[in-house]
């Protein structure tokens, strides 16, 4: 006979974690959540064309799809610019993988604005909803700010190329690897990881791990 507390059953634990996940999701929805997003692709080459005319092209480097959330601010831009230029996706002279960044290799960066990164298909008609994306006027200014931050982080703008903001672009690339990574600004990543673990998000911990 045991006088101690009864252990939680598996069913109860699953329900507890599910309830907490819904709380995390609801809280994120209520406060909007800052969530800039990049999709980085290590490439042998990449280019952007508009109306059949090539507007930008790079050799080896990074193609970065840039998604701006409606709540993004200066900290999100700075974080993503730093990660873009600092992500170690190439091997070093000794052949060790994941040791050199695009900046260290002196490779090029091609930025492509991509509001659809925050699209959702949650309605019954399966029509994409982009309401979480930053509105056009503000996004135009913010994208220009981000491009300037990337150039500053890299150490110059000569190797920073981009497409045409708001235009219908044809993007071509040869993915090297393939290597593709998603970079989220800290709050969004903290909420997503916390939901997966059934824990409360901690922004400071997420930023410290970055």
């Amino acid at each position: 006979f045991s006088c101690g507390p009864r252990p939680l059953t598996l069913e109860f634990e699953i329900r507890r974690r599910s309830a907490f996940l819904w709380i995390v999701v609801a809280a994120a929805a209520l406060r909007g959540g800052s969530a800039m997003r990049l999709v980085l692709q290590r490439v042998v080459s990449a280019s952007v064309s508009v109306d059949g005319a090539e507007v930008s092209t790079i050799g080896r480097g990074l193609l970065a799809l840039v998604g701006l959330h409606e709540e993004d601010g200066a900290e999100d831009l700075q974080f993503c610019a730093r990660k873009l230029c600092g992500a170690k996706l190439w091997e070093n002279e000794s052949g060790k993988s994941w040791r050199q960044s695009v900046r260290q290799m002196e490779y090029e960066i091609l930025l492509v604005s991509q509001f659809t990164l925050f699209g959702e298909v949650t309605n019954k008609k399966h029509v994409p909803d982009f309401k979480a994306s930053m509105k056009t006027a503000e996004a135009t200014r913010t994208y220009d700010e981000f491009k300037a931050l990337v150039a500053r982080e890299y150490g110059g703008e000569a190797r920073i190329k981009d497409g045409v903001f708001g235009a219908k672009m044809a993007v071509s690339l040869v993915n090297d690897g393939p290597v593709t990574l998603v970079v989220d600004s800290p709050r969004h990543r903290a909420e997503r990881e916390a939901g997966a673990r059934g824990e409360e998000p901690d922004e400071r911990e997420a930023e410290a791990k970055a």
Side-chain angles (χ1 to χ4, degrees), residues 3 7 35 38 78 83 103 111 115 138 150 197:
C3 296
L38 302 179
Q78 292 166 2
K83 293 301 178 183
R103 178 174 52 205
L111 303 174
F115 75 92
E138 183 180 2
V150 172
R197 296 192 304 265

Side-chain angles (χ1 to χ4, degrees), residues 44-119:
V44 174
S45 62
S47 63
V48 174
S49 297
V50 176
D51 294 331
E54 187 175 84
V55 295
S56 285
T57 183
I58 63 170
R60 288 191 177 274
L62 285 178
L63 169 64
L65 304 180
V66 182
L68 297 172
H69 190 274
E70 61 178 351
E71 297 292 335
D72 281 341
E75 292 182 357
D76 299 283
L77 301 183
Q78 292 166 2
F79 176 89
C80 287
R82 187 168 68 250
K83 293 301 178 183
L84 170 56
C85 293
K88 296 182 177 180
L89 305 183
W90 285 269
E91 62 183 28
N92 61 15
E93 294 178 354
S94 301
K96 291 185 178 181
S97 299
W98 319 115
R99 292 295 187 274
Q100 297 287 294
S101 68
V102 65
R103 178 174 52 205
Q104 290 171 307
M105 298 295 291
E106 297 185 352
Y107 287 161
E108 296 174 292
I109 295 173
L110 177 56
L111 303 174
V112 177
S113 58
Q114 185 73 83
F115 75 92
T116 61
L117 289 181
F118 287 108

